[in-house]
Amino acid sequence: MLKLTYRLLLICLSLFSSVSYAQVTSIQNIQARKVQSLNGKWNYIIDPYENGYYDYRHEPFDKSKSGTGGFFDDRVQKDKSELIEYDFDRSPQMNVPGDWNSQLEKLELYEGNIWFRRKFDARPEKGKKYFIYFAAVNYEAHVYVNGKKVGIHKGGFTPFQFDVTSTLKVGENSIVVKVDNTRKADEIPTVNTDWWNYGGITRDVFLAEFPEHFISDYKLQLVKGNNNLLSFTLKLNDATPNQEITLSIPELKLEKKYKTDAEGKIADDFTWNNLSLWSPETPKLYAVNIKTDKENIDDKIGFRTIQVDGDSILLNGKSVFLRGISIHDENPLVAGRLRGEGDMRMMLQWAKDMNCNYVRLAHYPHNEEMIRLADEMGLLVWAEVPVYWTISWTNPATYANAKQQLTDLIVRDKNRASVIVWSVGNETPLSDARLSFMTNLVETARTLDDTRLVAAALEVHRDGNAMLLNDPLGEKIDLVSFNEYAGWYWGGNPSEITKYTFNIKYNKPVVVTEFGGDALGGFHADENTRWSEEYQEALYRNQITLLSKIGALRGMTPWILTDFRSPRRQHPIYQNFWNRKGLISETGKKKKAYYILKDFYGQMQTKYK
Ligand code: GCB
């Protein structure tokens, strides 16, 4: 009976998710397509009670079953007497992309709905396809073009697009987006996190033009464990057979011609010698071109292999130590999310200056540009989805959402050499339901991409002076990866933590995903005074001693590169809405612990040469 209800639920869900909106599953490498940027100033209307969506009986204006019927923008245009207060033309503007919290003081802590509108000119041509593409909107987006609803999307950090071919007009067009960043228990992430819930259209928006049959997705990577075997797959947006495709890498004098099969796909593994492999020391990227008679896509792709062998991690077949640091998508110096290349370079350069060869982009997919910069600058990447803490493990819709976010992340970044780990979550509490949820995500990641490692940030459990790592999820993933806060949340002062030992059930490489403690930049005291730089420094020194007891230790990403904003962090003197575990303060000052880690990484660099 239960099973039947579950099945029915799944059927309903799949019906809901396909509510006649035209969403293609993916569009790889949007920057290389024919796009018109819709970034810039957008008008906005703050709508805390959702009066633009619900009438005074709290019935949605949009009552049609398919969800594609009229909505307030439509009504405003048709009937000026209703919702007269919604006057986009005279409403203020804000920057898109951009989080709203940092653009308007009264929105700093706002969680709710804001409507956005932008007008733009278009010259749609017959026989072409048009999509509105959003690189990310946090969290739920309802998108309307010229008064017609074109789609709904949930998930704050991954791209999505809607087909607007039939809605787009020659001349002036209007796009309206209702954005809701309300935290909800059944969503991914759930209500409880330790980061700022930045709302808005936080990443690029494009109008993209395509031929009728186009390349929606491709992947060119080395096969796991083989430094000469390239694997090329490609997919059209539909099942057009015999489409001619040319793949070329001029620098290698590589040119291959293909025809799509009956499903509109190509799959080919082929040997290619003399590849200069990508690594943090030599982040070699090749100019890659993929062409049809109607399309021409440029990319820059690096080739490297990553695998585990016993307790070693092999990069291009050679044992590597991951000298890492965790990073949030936030600028500590200027409020808000990282705004573009300059901000991103600053963060990654700080990591490089600390002798890092690796970053953990926690706890959700960061901007695609960040990953491309990591490719270019030579930093390995742990990429993660926001399956964080206490998710609704038994809700099938919640699982479907997590799976979609993971899928979209992998599709977006699978050609990036820097990404070596897909992480399916962080510090999730043990239970059977959680194990099956997480195991399914692990399997999803492996099915979508068998060239990288799959992991999750687990927790240690204590038994006297032993730290146990026996989470059954450890069986399913490639790394022993865990967060461990001895010396901060438990275990006494930093000087006491070296008494601990580790009891790790799995013979796999150990990569510690977090440790750390808060320090207010510029506050100096003795090693036993919490919040002081000296406390944090001692904590790092002793953590390194403690972790070095683990024979299989192959890397770490301490928490965290910079101080970051979090509504959970209320201490009136030391925090003021800042998590102070950064090695760099909110004024860009390197704290004492920064140099401890830099020193240790310098030693590891020599050891693993
Ligand atoms: C953790 C979480 C991270 C928090 C950190 C902290 O374990 O994974 O998101 O910010 O601890 O500072 O408590």
Side-chain angles (χ1 to χ4, degrees), residues 260-280:
T260 52
D261 66 14
E263 291 173 36
K265 291 182 179 168
I266 290 168
D268 181 30
D269 287 358
F270 58 96
T271 301
W272 201 269
N273 295 314
N274 305 326
L275 287 174
S276 293
L277 298 180
W278 184 99
S279 72

Side-chain angles (χ1 to χ4, degrees), residues 193-195 328 360 362-363 384 388-389 426-427 457 459 483-485 488-489 514 518 559-560 564 566 568-569 579-581:
T193 69
D194 187 18
W195 66 79
H328 261 301
R360 174 180 180 215
H363 283 297
E384 189 161 295
Y388 183 93
W389 292 351
N426 178 75
E427 287 185 354
E459 291 180 307
N483 301 348
E484 172 268 291
Y485 276 94
W488 187 254
Y489 290 123
E514 286 177 33
D518 290 52
W559 194 252
I560 183 173
F564 62 97
S566 169
R568 297 170 62 83
R569 305 300 173 172
N579 183 315
R580 297 288 185 195
K581 294 193 185 67

